[in-house]
Amino acid sequence: MLYISRLILTSAPLRKVASSRLTTLSRQFSTAKPTMAPVTKQYDFIVIGGGSGGSGAARRAAGWYGAKTLLVENGRSGGTCVNVGCVPKKITWNFASVSEMLKDGVHYGYDIPKNIKFNFAEFKKKRDDNIKGLNAAYERNWNREHIDLVHGTATFKSPREVEVDIDDGETAIYTAPHILIATGGYPIKPNGIPGSELGITSDGFFDIEDLPKKMAFVGAGYIAVELAGVMNAIGVETHMFIRGETFLRSFDPMVQETLTQRYIDAGVIIHKSHKGFKEVVSLREGKGEEKLLKLIGNDGEEIEVNELLWAIGRNPEIEKLDPAKIGVKQGPKGHLVVDEYQNTNIEGVYALGDVTGQAELTPVAIAAGRALGNRLFGTHHKNGGPHLSTSKLDYSNIPTVVFAHPECGTVGMTEPAAVSKFGKENIKIYHTKFTPMFYSFHPAEEKKLQPCEYKLICQGPEEHIVGMHIIGPQSSEMMQGFGVAVKMGARKKDFDSCVAIHPTSAEELVTMK
């Protein structure tokens, strides 16, 4: 969903396909006199942004219903998730988990030396190669479903018309009755702090090849938590600067408190109630341990680190597109305002994914894109039907996971939110905390590094489960399954009626008293 540098084409056949498609699309301009305006080309559907949401919408419209579809992307295919988000993050989390597993093996009798060396640069290369393969897969899918792909940057000319500066230097104009904005967002750095540009964002994290010895993370959201957890697990001295007492402040208090304490126990140095920085100074240029920055706090305290990562938020990627030019309404932070069907206030113009600020998760954008494609093009198609006229994504009870160390998952309401909505007297909490069997052989001081804690938030006499929060190994895999149950309206007695699978951590969720 994010606009990222330039497209990487990874194979000769793919370059040929992309080149052929671009040639076809721009041929009409190649013989035109310099003084002539480009000819406008008509489509049924124009999608701006080739990330998760844009791809989901385009493929549903073209692949299922045969809509003549144009996709405009000015970065690497696949957007944030594929290139600088979910995918490389999870691969890196796996890398760090191997490091942790090697330490665990000692307690099972394996003769594993301490401080086993690893080649992070080699790992990065393998990760990058994997991502390039995914870029190519996206484009193969688009080509197979007859989606026209243009590598360039779009700007609105009117509510039905966009002008695209194509990467090969040409300019083209395209028009359609339906235009989707799925341009995603980008990570920001703070304004007003001299030297803030010396730090990196989550995008730059995946460019790291030479590991820093000491790294600072500013932010308390899931990006800071995930990336800081990775670095700490592989031996980097890790500092987190947060404004409050806990991180993940939008999560249930159980998650906030337990995970924050786990990070402290694991060696992450958390600077709580931090007042922010007033200046960042470069002491030495370079990469990895060669780079040296001095961070000067508003309270006068100073710290020297080899790398600084800002994880303080994301902005919608809309500056060049300029939707305000055609009157699209924006929220206080610049996100595009949409209704429950992803409609903006301008007829025929839609938006979804991170650019709207709605549940900024890849699967959410994909699901919203497919629902929009169904509604716009499936209602009167033989492969669809009238029932699709109200197709939309239900944004309630969306399960999500933070790939921290350990993982944590959540679906539904936090305890404070449930109490606020239903009243404390109408809420019952089920809670358990234990050490997973895997850590039975670990010494006591290491067992505390592996918290496993679950909470069910139930409402009313029927004890409908309105919130579920879990911390511990394999939480991501568990949450996907239990998320279905919560989405379907499961009650506590439904969980109780399910026979436990023993021995597992998940059985605790169906045996709570």
Coordinates of all heavy atoms in Angstrom, one line a residue, residues 344-424:
T344 N -16.2 7.7 -0.8 CA -15.9 9.0 -0.4 C -17.1 9.9 -0.6 O -18.2 9.4 -1.1 CB -14.7 9.6 -1.1 OG1 -15.1 9.9 -2.5 CG2 -13.5 8.6 -1.1
N345 N -17.0 11.2 -0.3 CA -18.1 12.1 -0.6 C -18.3 12.4 -2.0 O -19.3 13.0 -2.4 CB -17.9 13.3 0.2 CG -16.7 14.1 -0.2 OD1 -15.6 13.6 -0.1 ND2 -16.8 15.3 -0.6
I346 N -17.3 12.0 -2.9 CA -17.4 12.2 -4.3 C -17.9 11.0 -5.0 O -17.3 9.9 -4.9 CB -16.1 12.6 -4.9 CG1 -15.5 13.9 -4.2 CG2 -16.2 12.9 -6.4 CD1 -16.4 15.1 -4.3
E347 N -19.0 11.0 -5.7 CA -19.6 9.9 -6.4 C -18.6 9.2 -7.3 O -17.9 9.9 -8.1 CB -20.9 10.2 -7.1 CG -21.6 9.0 -7.7 CD -22.8 9.4 -8.5 OE1 -23.2 10.6 -8.4 OE2 -23.5 8.5 -9.1
G348 N -18.4 7.9 -7.2 CA -17.5 7.2 -8.1 C -16.1 7.2 -7.7 O -15.3 6.5 -8.3
V349 N -15.8 7.8 -6.5 CA -14.4 7.8 -6.0 C -14.5 7.1 -4.6 O -15.3 7.4 -3.8 CB -13.9 9.2 -5.8 CG1 -12.5 9.2 -5.2 CG2 -13.8 9.9 -7.2
Y350 N -13.6 6.1 -4.5 CA -13.6 5.2 -3.3 C -12.2 5.2 -2.7 O -11.3 5.6 -3.3 CB -14.0 3.8 -3.7 CG -15.2 3.7 -4.7 CD1 -14.9 3.7 -6.0 CD2 -16.5 3.8 -4.2 CE1 -16.0 3.7 -7.0 CE2 -17.6 3.8 -5.1 CZ -17.3 3.7 -6.5 OH -18.3 3.7 -7.4
A351 N -12.2 4.8 -1.4 CA -10.9 4.7 -0.7 C -10.9 3.6 0.3 O -12.0 3.3 0.9 CB -10.5 6.0 -0.1
L352 N -9.8 2.9 0.4 CA -9.7 1.8 1.5 C -8.3 1.6 1.9 O -7.4 2.1 1.2 CB -10.4 0.5 0.9 CG -9.9 -0.1 -0.4 CD1 -8.6 -0.8 -0.2 CD2 -11.0 -1.0 -1.0
G353 N -8.1 0.9 2.9 CA -6.8 0.6 3.4 C -6.2 1.7 4.3 O -7.0 2.5 4.9
D354 N -4.9 1.7 4.4 CA -4.3 2.7 5.3 C -4.6 4.1 5.0 O -4.5 5.0 5.9 CB -2.8 2.5 5.3 CG -2.4 1.2 6.0 OD1 -3.3 0.4 6.3 OD2 -1.1 0.9 6.1
V355 N -4.9 4.4 3.8 CA -5.2 5.8 3.4 C -6.4 6.4 4.1 O -6.6 7.6 4.2 CB -5.3 5.9 1.8 CG1 -6.6 5.4 1.3 CG2 -5.1 7.4 1.4
T356 N -7.3 5.4 4.6 CA -8.5 5.9 5.3 C -8.3 5.8 6.8 O -9.2 6.3 7.5 CB -9.7 4.9 4.9 OG1 -9.4 3.6 5.5 CG2 -9.9 4.8 3.5
G357 N -7.2 5.2 7.3 CA -7.0 5.1 8.7 C -7.9 4.1 9.4 O -7.9 4.1 10.6
Q358 N -8.6 3.3 8.7 CA -9.4 2.3 9.3 C -8.7 1.0 9.5 O -8.3 0.3 8.5 CB -10.6 2.0 8.3 CG -11.6 3.1 8.0 CD -12.6 2.7 7.0 OE1 -12.3 2.5 5.9 NE2 -13.9 2.6 7.5
A359 N -8.5 0.6 10.7 CA -7.9 -0.7 11.1 C -6.8 -1.0 10.1 O -6.9 -1.9 9.2 CB -9.0 -1.8 11.0
E360 N -5.7 -0.4 10.3 CA -4.5 -0.5 9.3 C -3.8 -1.8 9.3 O -2.7 -1.9 9.9 CB -3.6 0.7 9.6 CG -4.3 2.1 9.4 CD -3.4 3.2 9.6 OE1 -2.1 3.1 9.5 OE2 -3.9 4.3 9.8
L361 N -4.5 -2.8 8.7 CA -4.0 -4.2 8.7 C -4.2 -4.7 7.3 O -5.2 -4.4 6.6 CB -4.8 -5.1 9.7 CG -4.7 -4.7 11.1 CD1 -5.8 -5.4 11.9 CD2 -3.3 -4.9 11.7
T362 N -3.2 -5.4 6.8 CA -3.2 -5.9 5.4 C -4.5 -6.7 5.1 O -5.2 -6.5 4.1 CB -2.0 -6.8 5.1 OG1 -0.9 -5.9 5.1 CG2 -2.1 -7.5 3.8
P363 N -4.9 -7.7 5.9 CA -6.1 -8.5 5.6 C -7.4 -7.7 5.6 O -8.3 -8.0 4.8 CB -6.1 -9.6 6.7 CG -4.7 -9.7 7.2 CD -4.2 -8.3 7.1
V364 N -7.4 -6.6 6.3 CA -8.5 -5.7 6.3 C -8.6 -5.0 5.0 O -9.7 -5.0 4.4 CB -8.4 -4.7 7.5 CG1 -9.5 -3.6 7.3 CG2 -8.5 -5.3 8.8
A365 N -7.5 -4.5 4.5 CA -7.5 -3.9 3.2 C -7.9 -4.8 2.0 O -8.7 -4.5 1.1 CB -6.2 -3.3 2.9
I366 N -7.4 -6.0 2.1 CA -7.7 -7.0 1.1 C -9.2 -7.3 1.1 O -9.9 -7.4 0.1 CB -6.9 -8.3 1.3 CG1 -5.5 -8.1 1.1 CG2 -7.4 -9.5 0.4 CD1 -4.6 -9.3 1.5
A367 N -9.8 -7.6 2.3 CA -11.2 -7.9 2.4 C -12.1 -6.8 2.0 O -13.1 -7.0 1.3 CB -11.5 -8.3 3.9
A368 N -11.7 -5.5 2.3 CA -12.5 -4.4 1.9 C -12.4 -4.2 0.4 O -13.4 -3.8 -0.2 CB -11.9 -3.1 2.6
G369 N -11.2 -4.5 -0.2 CA -11.1 -4.4 -1.6 C -12.0 -5.4 -2.4 O -12.6 -5.0 -3.4
R370 N -12.0 -6.6 -1.9 CA -12.8 -7.6 -2.5 C -14.3 -7.3 -2.4 O -15.1 -7.5 -3.3 CB -12.5 -9.0 -1.9 CG -11.1 -9.5 -2.3 CD -10.7 -10.7 -1.5 NE -9.5 -11.3 -1.9 CZ -8.8 -12.2 -1.2 NH1 -9.3 -12.7 -0.1 NH2 -7.6 -12.7 -1.7
A371 N -14.7 -6.8 -1.2 CA -16.1 -6.5 -1.0 C -16.5 -5.3 -2.0 O -17.6 -5.3 -2.6 CB -16.3 -6.0 0.4
L372 N -15.6 -4.3 -2.1 CA -15.9 -3.2 -3.1 C -16.0 -3.8 -4.5 O -16.9 -3.4 -5.2 CB -14.8 -2.2 -3.0 CG -15.0 -1.0 -3.9 CD1 -16.3 -0.2 -3.5 CD2 -13.8 -0.1 -3.8
G373 N -15.1 -4.6 -4.9 CA -15.2 -5.2 -6.2 C -16.4 -5.9 -6.5 O -17.1 -5.9 -7.5
N374 N -16.9 -6.7 -5.5 CA -18.2 -7.4 -5.6 C -19.3 -6.5 -5.8 O -20.2 -6.7 -6.6 CB -18.4 -8.2 -4.3 CG -17.6 -9.5 -4.2 OD1 -17.1 -10.0 -5.2 ND2 -17.3 -9.9 -3.0
R375 N -19.3 -5.4 -5.0 CA -20.5 -4.5 -5.1 C -20.5 -3.7 -6.4 O -21.6 -3.5 -7.0 CB -20.4 -3.5 -3.9 CG -21.6 -2.5 -3.8 CD -21.6 -1.7 -2.5 NE -20.4 -0.8 -2.4 CZ -20.4 0.4 -2.9 NH1 -21.4 0.9 -3.6 NH2 -19.4 1.2 -2.7
L376 N -19.4 -3.2 -6.8 CA -19.4 -2.4 -8.0 C -19.6 -3.2 -9.3 O -20.2 -2.7 -10.2 CB -18.0 -1.7 -8.1 CG -17.7 -0.7 -7.1 CD1 -16.4 0.0 -7.3 CD2 -18.8 0.4 -7.0
F377 N -19.1 -4.5 -9.4 CA -19.1 -5.2 -10.6 C -19.7 -6.6 -10.6 O -20.0 -7.2 -11.6 CB -17.6 -5.3 -11.1 CG -16.9 -4.0 -11.3 CD1 -16.0 -3.6 -10.4 CD2 -17.3 -3.2 -12.4 CE1 -15.4 -2.3 -10.6 CE2 -16.6 -2.0 -12.6 CZ -15.7 -1.6 -11.7
G378 N -20.1 -7.0 -9.4 CA -20.7 -8.3 -9.3 C -22.2 -8.4 -9.2 O -22.8 -9.4 -9.4
T379 N -22.8 -7.2 -8.8 CA -24.2 -7.2 -8.6 C -25.0 -7.6 -9.8 O -26.0 -8.3 -9.7 CB -24.6 -5.7 -8.2 OG1 -23.9 -5.3 -7.0 CG2 -26.1 -5.7 -7.9
H380 N -24.6 -7.2 -11.0 CA -25.3 -7.6 -12.2 C -24.6 -8.6 -13.1 O -24.9 -8.7 -14.3 CB -25.6 -6.3 -13.0 CG -26.4 -5.3 -12.2 ND1 -27.7 -5.5 -11.8 CD2 -26.1 -4.1 -11.7 CE1 -28.1 -4.4 -11.2 NE2 -27.2 -3.6 -11.1
H381 N -23.6 -9.3 -12.5 CA -22.8 -10.2 -13.3 C -23.3 -11.7 -13.0 O -23.7 -12.0 -11.9 CB -21.3 -10.0 -13.0 CG -20.4 -10.7 -13.9 ND1 -20.1 -12.0 -13.8 CD2 -19.7 -10.2 -15.0 CE1 -19.2 -12.3 -14.8 NE2 -19.0 -11.2 -15.5
K382 N -23.1 -12.5 -14.0 CA -23.5 -13.9 -13.8 C -22.8 -14.6 -12.7 O -23.2 -15.6 -12.1 CB -23.4 -14.7 -15.1 CG -22.0 -14.8 -15.6 CD -21.9 -15.6 -16.9 CE -20.4 -15.7 -17.4 NZ -20.3 -16.4 -18.7
N383 N -21.5 -14.1 -12.4 CA -20.7 -14.7 -11.4 C -21.1 -14.2 -10.0 O -20.5 -14.6 -9.0 CB -19.2 -14.5 -11.6 CG -18.8 -15.3 -12.8 OD1 -19.4 -16.3 -13.2 ND2 -17.7 -14.9 -13.4
G384 N -21.9 -13.2 -10.0 CA -22.3 -12.6 -8.7 C -23.8 -12.7 -8.5 O -24.4 -13.7 -8.5
G385 N -24.4 -11.5 -8.3 CA -25.9 -11.5 -8.1 C -26.3 -10.3 -7.3 O -25.5 -9.5 -6.8
P386 N -27.6 -10.0 -7.2 CA -28.2 -8.8 -6.5 C -27.8 -8.8 -5.1 O -27.7 -7.7 -4.5 CB -29.7 -9.0 -6.7 CG -29.9 -9.9 -7.9 CD -28.7 -10.8 -7.9
H387 N -27.5 -9.9 -4.5 CA -27.1 -9.9 -3.0 C -25.8 -9.1 -2.8 O -25.6 -8.7 -1.6 CB -27.0 -11.3 -2.5 CG -25.9 -12.1 -3.2 ND1 -26.0 -12.6 -4.4 CD2 -24.6 -12.5 -2.7 CE1 -24.8 -13.2 -4.7 NE2 -24.0 -13.2 -3.7
L388 N -25.0 -8.9 -3.8 CA -23.8 -8.2 -3.7 C -23.9 -6.7 -3.7 O -22.9 -6.0 -3.5 CB -22.8 -8.7 -4.8 CG -22.3 -10.1 -4.8 CD1 -21.4 -10.4 -5.9 CD2 -21.6 -10.5 -3.5
S389 N -25.1 -6.2 -3.9 CA -25.3 -4.8 -3.9 C -25.0 -4.1 -2.6 O -24.8 -2.9 -2.5 CB -26.8 -4.5 -4.3 OG -27.7 -5.0 -3.4
T390 N -25.0 -4.9 -1.5 CA -24.7 -4.4 -0.2 C -23.4 -4.9 0.4 O -23.2 -4.9 1.6 CB -25.9 -4.7 0.8 OG1 -26.1 -6.1 0.8 CG2 -27.2 -4.0 0.4
S391 N -22.6 -5.5 -0.5 CA -21.3 -6.1 -0.1 C -20.4 -5.0 0.6 O -20.2 -3.9 0.0 CB -20.6 -6.7 -1.3 OG -19.4 -7.2 -0.9
K392 N -20.0 -5.3 1.8 CA -19.1 -4.4 2.5 C -18.4 -5.2 3.6 O -18.8 -6.4 3.9 CB -19.9 -3.3 3.2 CG -20.9 -3.8 4.2 CD -21.6 -2.6 4.9 CE -22.6 -3.2 5.9 NZ -23.3 -2.1 6.6
L393 N -17.3 -4.7 4.1 CA -16.5 -5.3 5.2 C -17.1 -4.9 6.5 O -17.4 -3.8 6.8 CB -15.1 -4.9 5.1 CG -14.2 -5.4 6.3 CD1 -14.1 -6.9 6.3 CD2 -12.8 -4.8 6.2
D394 N -17.3 -5.9 7.4 CA -17.7 -5.7 8.8 C -16.4 -5.5 9.6 O -15.6 -6.4 9.7 CB -18.5 -6.9 9.3 CG -18.9 -6.8 10.7 OD1 -18.6 -5.7 11.3 OD2 -19.4 -7.8 11.3
Y395 N -16.3 -4.3 10.1 CA -15.0 -3.9 10.8 C -15.1 -4.3 12.2 O -14.1 -3.9 13.0 CB -14.8 -2.4 10.6 CG -14.2 -2.0 9.3 CD1 -15.0 -1.8 8.2 CD2 -12.8 -1.8 9.1 CE1 -14.5 -1.4 7.0 CE2 -12.3 -1.4 7.9 CZ -13.1 -1.2 6.8 OH -12.6 -0.9 5.6
S396 N -16.1 -5.0 12.7 CA -16.1 -5.4 14.1 C -15.4 -6.7 14.3 O -15.3 -7.5 13.4 CB -17.6 -5.5 14.6 OG -18.2 -6.6 13.9
N397 N -14.9 -6.9 15.5 CA -14.3 -8.1 15.9 C -13.2 -8.6 14.9 O -13.2 -9.8 14.4 CB -15.3 -9.2 16.1 CG -16.1 -9.0 17.4 OD1 -15.5 -8.5 18.4 ND2 -17.3 -9.4 17.4
I398 N -12.3 -7.7 14.6 CA -11.2 -8.1 13.7 C -10.0 -8.6 14.5 O -9.5 -7.9 15.4 CB -10.7 -6.9 12.8 CG1 -11.8 -6.5 11.9 CG2 -9.5 -7.2 12.1 CD1 -11.5 -5.2 11.1
P399 N -9.6 -9.9 14.4 CA -8.5 -10.4 15.2 C -7.2 -9.8 14.7 O -7.0 -9.6 13.5 CB -8.6 -11.9 15.0 CG -9.3 -12.1 13.6 CD -10.2 -10.9 13.5
T400 N -6.3 -9.6 15.6 CA -4.9 -9.2 15.2 C -3.9 -9.7 16.1 O -4.2 -10.1 17.2 CB -4.9 -7.6 15.1 OG1 -3.6 -7.2 14.6 CG2 -5.0 -7.0 16.5
V401 N -2.7 -9.7 15.7 CA -1.6 -10.3 16.4 C -0.4 -9.3 16.4 O -0.1 -8.7 15.3 CB -1.1 -11.6 15.9 CG1 0.2 -12.1 16.5 CG2 -2.2 -12.7 16.2
V402 N 0.3 -9.2 17.5 CA 1.6 -8.4 17.5 C 2.7 -9.5 17.6 O 2.7 -10.3 18.5 CB 1.7 -7.5 18.7 CG1 3.0 -6.8 18.7 CG2 0.5 -6.5 18.7
F403 N 3.6 -9.5 16.6 CA 4.7 -10.4 16.6 C 5.8 -9.9 17.5 O 6.9 -9.6 17.1 CB 5.2 -10.7 15.2 CG 4.2 -11.6 14.5 CD1 3.3 -11.0 13.6 CD2 4.2 -13.0 14.7 CE1 2.4 -11.8 12.9 CE2 3.3 -13.8 14.0 CZ 2.4 -13.2 13.1
A404 N 5.5 -9.9 18.8 CA 6.4 -9.5 19.8 C 7.2 -10.7 20.3 O 7.1 -11.8 19.7 CB 5.7 -8.8 21.0
H405 N 7.9 -10.6 21.4 CA 8.6 -11.8 21.9 C 8.2 -11.9 23.4 O 8.8 -11.2 24.2 CB 10.1 -11.6 21.8 CG 10.6 -11.7 20.3 ND1 11.1 -12.8 19.8 CD2 10.6 -10.8 19.4 CE1 11.4 -12.6 18.5 NE2 11.1 -11.3 18.2
P406 N 7.2 -12.6 23.7 CA 6.4 -13.6 22.9 C 5.3 -12.9 22.2 O 5.0 -11.7 22.4 CB 5.9 -14.6 23.9 CG 5.6 -13.7 25.1 CD 6.8 -12.7 25.2
E407 N 4.6 -13.6 21.3 CA 3.5 -13.1 20.5 C 2.3 -12.8 21.4 O 2.2 -13.3 22.5 CB 3.0 -14.1 19.5 CG 4.0 -14.7 18.6 CD 3.6 -16.0 17.9 OE1 2.5 -16.0 17.2 OE2 4.2 -17.0 18.2
C408 N 1.5 -11.8 21.0 CA 0.2 -11.6 21.7 C -0.9 -11.4 20.6 O -0.6 -10.9 19.5 CB 0.3 -10.4 22.6 SG 0.6 -8.8 21.8
G409 N -2.1 -11.8 20.9 CA -3.2 -11.7 20.0 C -4.4 -11.1 20.7 O -4.6 -11.2 21.9
T410 N -5.3 -10.5 19.9 CA -6.5 -9.9 20.5 C -7.6 -9.9 19.5 O -7.4 -9.8 18.3 CB -6.1 -8.5 21.0 OG1 -7.3 -7.9 21.5 CG2 -5.7 -7.6 19.8
V411 N -8.8 -10.0 20.0 CA -10.0 -9.8 19.2 C -11.1 -9.2 20.1 O -11.2 -9.7 21.2 CB -10.5 -11.1 18.5 CG1 -10.9 -12.2 19.5 CG2 -11.6 -10.9 17.5
G412 N -11.8 -8.3 19.6 CA -12.9 -7.7 20.3 C -12.5 -6.6 21.3 O -11.5 -5.9 21.0
M413 N -13.2 -6.4 22.3 CA -13.1 -5.3 23.2 C -12.1 -5.5 24.3 O -11.9 -6.6 24.8 CB -14.4 -4.9 23.8 CG -15.6 -4.7 22.8 SD -17.2 -4.4 23.6 CE -16.9 -2.7 24.1
T414 N -11.4 -4.4 24.7 CA -10.6 -4.5 25.9 C -11.5 -4.5 27.2 O -12.7 -4.1 27.1 CB -9.7 -3.3 26.0 OG1 -10.5 -2.1 26.1 CG2 -8.8 -3.2 24.8
E415 N -11.0 -4.8 28.3 CA -11.8 -4.8 29.5 C -12.3 -3.4 29.8 O -13.5 -3.2 30.1 CB -11.0 -5.3 30.7 CG -11.8 -5.4 32.0 CD -11.1 -6.0 33.1 OE1 -10.0 -6.6 32.9 OE2 -11.5 -5.9 34.3
P416 N -11.5 -2.3 29.8 CA -12.1 -1.0 30.0 C -13.2 -0.6 29.0 O -14.2 0.0 29.4 CB -10.9 -0.1 29.9 CG -9.7 -0.9 30.2 CD -10.1 -2.3 29.7
A417 N -13.0 -1.0 27.8 CA -14.0 -0.6 26.8 C -15.3 -1.4 27.0 O -16.4 -0.8 26.9 CB -13.5 -0.9 25.4
A418 N -15.2 -2.6 27.4 CA -16.4 -3.4 27.7 C -17.2 -2.9 29.0 O -18.4 -2.8 29.0 CB -16.0 -4.9 28.0
V419 N -16.4 -2.5 30.0 CA -17.0 -1.9 31.2 C -17.7 -0.6 30.9 O -18.8 -0.4 31.3 CB -15.9 -1.7 32.3 CG1 -16.5 -0.9 33.4 CG2 -15.5 -3.1 32.8
S420 N -17.1 0.2 30.0 CA -17.7 1.5 29.6 C -18.9 1.3 28.9 O -19.9 2.0 29.1 CB -16.6 2.3 28.8 OG -17.2 3.5 28.3
K421 N -19.0 0.3 28.0 CA -20.2 0.1 27.2 C -21.3 -0.6 27.9 O -22.5 -0.3 27.8 CB -19.8 -0.7 25.9 CG -21.0 -0.9 25.0 CD -20.5 -1.6 23.7 CE -21.7 -1.8 22.7 NZ -21.3 -2.4 21.4
F422 N -21.0 -1.7 28.7 CA -22.0 -2.5 29.2 C -22.2 -2.3 30.7 O -23.2 -2.8 31.3 CB -21.7 -4.0 29.0 CG -21.6 -4.4 27.5 CD1 -20.3 -4.7 27.0 CD2 -22.7 -4.4 26.7 CE1 -20.2 -5.0 25.6 CE2 -22.6 -4.7 25.3 CZ -21.3 -5.0 24.8
G423 N -21.3 -1.7 31.4 CA -21.3 -1.6 32.9 C -20.6 -2.7 33.5 O -20.6 -3.8 33.1
K424 N -19.9 -2.4 34.6 CA -19.0 -3.4 35.3 C -19.8 -4.5 35.8 O -19.4 -5.7 35.8 CB -18.3 -2.7 36.4 CG -17.2 -3.6 37.1 CD -16.4 -2.8 38.1 CE -15.3 -3.7 38.7 NZ -14.5 -2.9 39.7

